[in-house]
Amino acid sequence: MNAQKKAELITKLKAEGRIDNRELFVFNNARALPGGGFGLCLVSIADATLYISDTDMASNVGRLIAAIPFADMVSFKASTFPFNPYAKFQWKGETVHLSGLSKEMLAAIGK
């Protein structure tokens, strides 16, 4: 993603409240999403909430899939192993499994 497109994305996410001044986000290939979905998404953090947004191969961000307060994440597990970083947790009785969260994102979640 070039610098201009990244700046536009950050502006859009801030306007929608899906990112804060830390600007923590990652495009993700999720293994399990709320509602039983999987695949490409954008994961971002604002305050104490993890946002999962629909996206496409061109990095266009669409509808909000879920806004998950950190406090509502149950059975949180994470790995920062370089070849397979992930976060996996339960939310409202469903498994959420996200790949590629950065160390900064995991530290912000603080679980």
Side-chain angles (χ1 to χ4, degrees):
M1 170 179 293
N2 68 38
Q4 180 180 352
K5 183 149 179 142
K6 182 178 179 180
E8 290 169 1
L9 175 60
I10 289 170
T11 299
K12 172 185 167 63
L13 293 172
K14 281 185 178 179
E16 294 174 355
R18 298 186 205 182
I19 198 171
D20 59 23
N21 289 333
R22 295 173 290 182
E23 299 180 356
L24 297 174
F25 73 94
V26 65
F27 287 93
N28 194 290
N29 189 13
R31 295 180 184 162
L33 292 169
F38 61 92
L40 293 176
C41 63
L42 176 103
V43 179
S44 58
I45 291 177
D47 301 317
T49 303
L50 181 106
Y51 293 90
I52 302 173
S53 305
D54 194 20
T55 189
D56 62 18
M57 295 294 287
S59 302
N60 296 310
V61 178
R63 70 177 178 83
L64 181 65
I65 295 171
I68 305 171
F70 297 164
D72 293 350
M73 296 175 179
V74 180
S75 301
F76 190 90
K77 296 178 185 174
S79 170
T80 56
F81 185 70
F83 300 112
N84 187 28
Y86 72 88
K88 185 176 181 179
F89 56 90
Q90 297 289 314
W91 178 65
K92 294 186 176 181
E94 295 187 81
T95 298
V96 179
H97 192 164
L98 305 168
S99 305
L101 297 188
S102 68
K103 290 179 183 177
E104 294 82 9
M105 293 180 88
L106 292 173
I109 295 168
K111 297 247 182 205

